[in-house]
Amino acid sequence: DDSANQSGGRKSVNSGEPPRLRSGMKVYFCGSIRGGRDDVALYRRIVQKLQSYGTVLTEHVGSNELTDRGEDAAAAEDRAIHDRDVAWLRQSDVIVAEVTQPSLGVGYELGRAVDMKKKVFCLFRPSSGRRLSAMVRGADDGELFVVRDYSEDELENVLDEFFKNLKINTQID
Ligand SMILES: O=c1[nH]c(=O)n([C@H]2C[C@H](O)[C@@H](COP(=O)(O)O)O2)cc1CO
């Protein structure tokens, strides 16, 4: 990915086509960027697992090279990031979010996803000692929007379980 090392090591905004299709399903992954990168190793693990189910539109969220400055600090770039991400949200079949590290951007994405009536799966680690926002926990309707408490060691199994049920219920392949 040669977009990775432009502008002095910062990731520049990739406004082109989403990554190459691996299967029909498009997955939008949400994780904190400017909200703090403490969980980036976990995001990377999630992205890798999600890539076994389909195309991850937001692969950069799991990148070690991306700091809490985001893809670019300039305001003009922020519009490009926002517009690209909202377009990717619209194209996605399912949204998976790691919501343990609080992030305004992730909260915003989830709100937009609900409005688009997308299928949303939120992952939260109670071992963090944090208490998840009521606006996320309270959005769980057991169907379109699901919040799952988990611990790091069960991550892959929790995702397998979710995607197995998703296939049965929606016939997305
Ligand atoms: O540079 C960026 N690129 C980008 O795709 N995002 C999107 C994807 C993440 O799921 C979410 C993170 O929001 P925040 O930066 O407020 O933590 O917003 C956010 C930023 C920086 O705000």
Side-chain angles (χ1 to χ4, degrees):
D1 177 16
D2 52 6
S3 69
N5 272 317
Q6 292 167 358
S7 54
R10 278 201 313 256
K11 274 195 91 100
S12 64
V13 179
N14 167 18
S15 51
E17 288 300 300
R20 190 172 53 82
L21 288 184
R22 287 182 179 82
S23 89
M25 179 155 25
K26 290 182 187 159
V27 185
Y28 189 106
F29 172 64
C30 312
S32 171
I33 297 177
R34 293 192 189 156
R37 298 293 278 162
D38 304 19
D39 288 341
V40 66
L42 204 53
Y43 301 162
R44 191 180 188 77
R45 239 174 92 194
I46 294 172
V47 167
Q48 273 166 1
K49 184 67 183 166
L50 293 176
Q51 285 172 332
S52 69
Y53 310 115
T55 302
V56 179
L57 300 173
T58 53
E59 200 176 3
H60 60 284
V61 176
S63 167
N64 281 323
E65 288 160 46
L66 190 58
T67 69
D68 64 4
R69 291 181 57 78
E71 291 172 83
D72 204 302
E77 293 287 311
D78 283 354
R79 177 177 297 278
I81 291 167
H82 171 274
D83 293 356
R84 178 203 62 192
D85 285 359
V86 172
W88 278 351
L89 265 178
R90 219 167 252 129
Q91 289 170 33
S92 65
D93 299 299
V94 58
I95 290 108
V96 174
E98 216 296 347
V99 295
T100 309
Q101 170 80 56
S103 153
L104 285 171
V106 171
Y108 174 83
E109 288 165 337
L110 293 176
R112 295 293 303 254
V114 168
D115 197 47
M116 293 175 197
K117 301 190 167 48
K118 298 283 183 180
K119 179 101 184 157
V120 178
F121 188 51
C122 296
L123 293 163
F124 179 77
R125 300 191 319 286
S127 63
S128 63
R130 294 183 190 276
R131 196 153 174 221
L132 181 58
S133 168
M135 297 308 287
V136 175
R137 174 90 60 199
D140 191 325
D141 61 7
E143 207 184 314
L144 266 190
F145 195 108
V146 172
V147 178
R148 175 69 151 84
D149 288 331
Y150 77 109
S151 58
E152 272 184 56
D153 53 304
E154 52 181 1
L155 173 65
E156 280 80 7
N157 289 339
V158 163
L159 287 171
D160 273 336
E161 191 187 330
F162 172 76
F163 277 91
K164 202 174 68 194
N165 291 330
L166 187 68
K167 260 192 175 168
I168 294 166
N169 295 332
T170 63
Q171 301 296 328
I172 295 171
D173 61 358

